[in-house]
Amino acid sequence: MNRKKQTPPSGPAAQTARPTPLEAAAEIAALVQQIAHHDRLYHQKDAPEISDAAYDALRARYRALIEAYPQFTPAEDPEKRVGSAPAAGFGKITHKVPMLSLGNAFSAEDTEDFVARIRKFLALTESEPILLLAEPKIDGLSASLLYVNGGLVQAATRGDGATGENITANALTIRSIPHRLKAPFPERLEVRGEIFLARADFLKLNAERERAGEQPFANPRNAAAGSVRQLDSTVTAARPLDFFAYAYGEISSVDFSSQQELRDRLTHWGFTLNEPARLCDGARGLLAYYAEIEATRHTLPFDIDGVVYKVNRFDWQERLGFVSRAPRWAIAHKFAAEKAQTKLLKISIQVGRTGALTPVAELDPITVGGVVVSRATLHNEDEIARKDIREGDEVIVQRAGDVIPQIVEVVLAARAADSKPFLFRDTCPECGSAAIREEGMAVRRCTGGLVCPAQAVETLRHFTSRNAFNIEGLGEQRVRELWSDGLIKTPADIFRLHTHKEALAQREGWGELSATKLLAAIEARRTIPLDRFIFALGIRQVGEATAKLLARHYKRAPAWEESMKAVAGGDQSALDTLLSIDQIGPLMAKDMAAFFAEPHNQTALAALEQELEIQPAAAPTGSPSKLAGKTIVFTGTLTTMGRSEAKAKAESLGLIVSGSVSKKTDFVVIGAEAGSKATKAESLGVRTFTEESWLEFLKAH
Ligand code: IVH
C-alpha cells in the first residue's frame, strides 16, 4: 500500500531561515509526532487527514532538519520506517511467496522501453511477437486467499509484502470471494487479487457517513481498506465490497502455462476478473489498449488508476524473474491525473473538529474526469503562499484518484492587474477567537476550545467522556442532539440542564425516566478531582498524565489557573515553574498558554467553576509507602475496581503505572481476558497478581 507519489513540494522548508538548534530540536520533535500521527491515520485507520503532497512536505521538512542537525535524529526515526507493518488487533500471516508490487510506466516511451527490455532479456529477434495480457488496474487493497482442498481457509492483506494481516473473517463476508472452488482445483492454491468498492457503492457509503456525522473517506481505496480492516466483521459485511482475482501465489500443482489460461481457470473456479482485459501484441498493441481504456474509464463501474501489462507466457515470466520488489515481466501504466482550468472565486476557511483552520478554494464549477468539481483543498497557508494562490485567479485543478481535487498551479498570465496576495486570517471564522500557529506546525488552530461552535461537539464529548467527567448518558449522539437544539453550548450548560428538565423529558425517544437519570448522573459529578477537571478541558496536548502532573504540582484549581494566566501573559517565572515540572516541555506549555490567552475560554471556565466543586489534588498518602517507585501494569478487565480507580489507587501509593510490560516492570495485575501482556509478564518472570490477590497484597503493605 503506497502513498501516491507526487512531485515533492519545495515546501515551507525551502523558504524559512535556518532555525537555531533549540528551534530545530523542538520542530523535529513536533514533526516526528505529526508524521507518526499521519502514518497511523493512513496505514492503520485508512483515513488520511492530509493530502499526499502535504504529507510529503512534512517529510521533506523533517529530512532537511535532520540533515542540518544530525545530532537530533530521534530513536524513532520516521525515515527508517517503511511500508505499513500489520496493525495491532489482527493476527499476522507470513506470505509463503512474497506479495510484490509493480513498477510504473507513465508514458508511451516507458511502455516501449518495457517491451524492449523484455525482448533484449529473452534475446528475441525483432520479428518475434511478444504477447502481453493487459488488464485495468484497480486501486484497492491487495489480498491473498488460501484454498486448501477447494475450501477458503485463510485470507490476508499484503501488509509489507512479507507479512500481512489475517482478514479471514472479513473476507468471508465478501460476496465475490468464493468459499469453495469449483473442481478440479490444486490441493493448495493461493489466489491474489484486489478488494475494492465500486464507485456507486463508495459514493453511497460516503453519503451515509456524512449523514451520521462521520468523516467521509477520501477515495474508494481508503474506503475499501478501512472496511476490510475492521476488527468487527459485521461492519465489513455491511459494506458492499467486491473482489477481482488477477494472480496466484502458492500453488501445489500448475497445469496452465499463460496468463490467459490462468484467467480462464480463475473464472472456472468461481472468481470475477478485471475486465475489459485483452491479449496485446507488443508495445503498439498495449498502447492502443491503453488509449481505449483511458477514453472509456468513466463508463466502468469502478475507479481505475491505470492498466497493468503482463507477459502472457509463464515460461517467459519465469526467465524474466524479478528485480528488487517488482517483476520484470509486468508493469503498471498509470493514467495522468486529470486536470482542468477554472476560476477560483473565493478562499473560505473551514474549522475542523479539533480547531484546525483549513483553507478551501471555492471554484467556478467545472468537470474534471467526469466529475463536477466546485471546491478544492488548499491544505494550509504555506501552500497558498508557496503557490501564490489568490482569489480571482485562473487555476489548474487536478483530480488524482481522490474525491477532493487539488489546485496544481495558477495561470499567472490570466491574473488581474489589481489582484492582491491572499492574507490568511489570524482569528477563527466561527468564534472570533485567536487562531495561532505553533512552531513547526503547518496548521493554524483556533484557541477557543471551550466556545468555538465548530469544535463544540468534540469538546463537549471529550468533557463528558469516561476519563474526564464520566457523565453516563451523555455520549456523542446525545451531545450532538442537545448541542443542535441549543440546550448545551458550553460545558457550564451541562450543569444547568436541570432547568430544562421538562424540555428534556419531552424529547423524542427520551421520557421522564431518561431525563431524571441523566440529571442525576450530572449531579453526581458536580464534585470532581482537580486532575480530571484539567483533563476534561481538552487543552491541546494535555492528556490524563499531564493533567495529573499539573494537579499534583499546583494542588488547587485557583493556583493552577492563576499560574496559567501568568504564563499566557508572558510571566517568565511562572513559565519557569511550569517547565520545571518533569515531563512538561515547551510545546505543551505553549498550548496551555494559548488556551488561557483566549478571553472566551476564561469566561467559559469561570462560568463552569460557578457550578462545580473542584477537589484539590490529594497529596500522596502520608508515610512513603514501601511500594513507592515500583512499576506496575494493569491488563485485562478489572471487575472490582475500574481501570482508572486501580491506577489512581496505585499512584496514590507512589507506584508508577505503565502501559507496557518490560524487564523493568515490578508487578502485573491480570484481569479477565488479558492478552499478550500477561503472557509477556510470565515469560519475563515478572511478579503477577490476580485482581483479588493484588488487593490482599495492598492490605498487607
Ligand atoms: S498483478 C507481482 N494485476 O496494483 C504483482 N495487480 O501497483 C502482481 N493491482 O500490488 C500484481 N490491479 O495490488 C496486478 N490487474 C492487476 C491489478 C493489480 C490492481 C494492484 C496490486 C499490485 C498493485 C501494484
Side-chain angles (χ1 to χ4, degrees), residues 100-102 135-138 142 158 194 246 274 308 310 327:
L100 302 174
S101 107
L102 292 174
E135 285 176 347
K137 179 174 178 326
I138 293 206
S142 41
R158 181 169 76 183
E194 204 83 354
Y246 50 64
N274 294 30
V308 180
K310 306 171 194 178

Side-chain angles (χ1 to χ4, degrees), residues 520-537:
I522 293 172
E523 284 316 306
R525 296 289 182 262
R526 273 197 199 269
T527 308
I528 182 135
L530 178 59
D531 60 326
R532 274 186 177 245
F533 174 76
I534 295 176
F535 171 64
L537 298 178

Side-chain angles (χ1 to χ4, degrees), residues 46-298:
D46 305 303
E49 273 172 2
I50 59 173
S51 70
D52 293 346
Y55 175 84
D56 289 344
L58 288 179
R59 296 211 60 139
R61 174 68 178 159
Y62 173 81
R63 263 195 304 279
L65 285 170
I66 291 293
E67 253 162 49
Y69 295 101
Q71 69 270 36
F72 296 144
T73 309
E76 273 288 297
D77 184 1
E79 294 293 297
K80 301 232 169 67
R81 262 197 321 262
V82 280
S84 65
F90 288 97
K92 290 180 191 172
I93 283 177
T94 304
H95 302 298
K96 284 247 170 64
V97 182
M99 288 184 79
L100 302 174
S101 107
L102 292 174
N104 289 325
F106 295 102
S107 62
E109 208 187 336
D110 289 349
T111 304
E112 284 156 5
D113 289 349
F114 165 68
V115 178
R117 277 197 304 274
I118 293 168
R119 187 177 296 284
K120 191 157 172 236
F121 192 97
L122 298 174
L124 302 175
T125 62
E126 284 302 319
S127 57
E128 176 114 35
I130 300 182
L131 292 185
L132 298 111
L133 197 115
E135 285 176 347
K137 179 174 178 326
I138 293 206
D139 199 13
L141 181 76
S142 41
S144 136
L145 311 171
L146 180 64
Y147 290 85
V148 176
N149 295 323
L152 177 62
V153 295
Q154 178 183 288
T157 63
R158 181 169 76 183
D160 59 9
T163 318
E165 293 153 1
N166 184 338
I167 51 157
T168 313
N170 292 346
L172 284 166
T173 70
I174 300 175
R175 279 169 296 277
S176 39
I177 293 183
H179 292 190
R180 283 210 64 77
L181 302 179
K182 184 161 171 242
F185 40 73
E187 191 188 322
R188 284 179 78 84
L189 169 69
E190 184 195 340
V191 171
R192 292 178 175 180
E194 204 83 354
I195 299 178
F196 67 98
L197 269 170
R199 196 182 302 117
D201 292 327
F202 164 72
L203 294 173
K204 206 170 123 216
L205 176 62
N206 260 0
E208 280 165 14
R209 286 174 74 86
E210 286 194 78
R211 239 177 284 128
E214 289 166 332
Q215 190 75 19
F217 289 112
N219 52 49
R221 199 207 70 81
N222 287 131
S227 303
V228 169
R229 300 163 83 200
Q230 289 285 338
L231 288 172
D232 177 356
S233 59
T234 59
V235 177
T236 311
R239 305 265 170 92
L241 291 163
D242 222 324
F243 178 81
F244 278 160
Y246 50 64
Y248 68 91
E250 189 195 344
I251 189 162
S252 51
S253 61
V254 190
D255 64 349
F256 40 89
S257 61
S258 71
Q259 207 63 45
Q260 177 122 57
E261 284 174 32
L262 167 68
R263 283 180 59 93
D264 292 345
R265 210 53 63 88
L266 286 166
T267 311
H268 168 84
W269 286 326
F271 292 97
T272 320
L273 307 189
N274 294 30
E275 301 286 2
R278 183 186 301 163
L279 200 54
C280 304
D281 185 0
R284 272 183 65 176
L286 294 176
L287 292 171
Y289 171 83
Y290 177 90
E292 265 180 58
I293 299 290
E294 187 174 39
T296 52
R297 57 190 281 202
H298 304 301

Side-chain angles (χ1 to χ4, degrees), residues 571-589:
D571 182 327
Q572 189 61 44
S573 90
L575 177 62
D576 290 343
T577 311
L578 177 61
L579 293 176
S580 74
I581 304 175
D582 189 26
Q583 294 176 52
I584 292 199
L587 289 179
M588 275 186 200

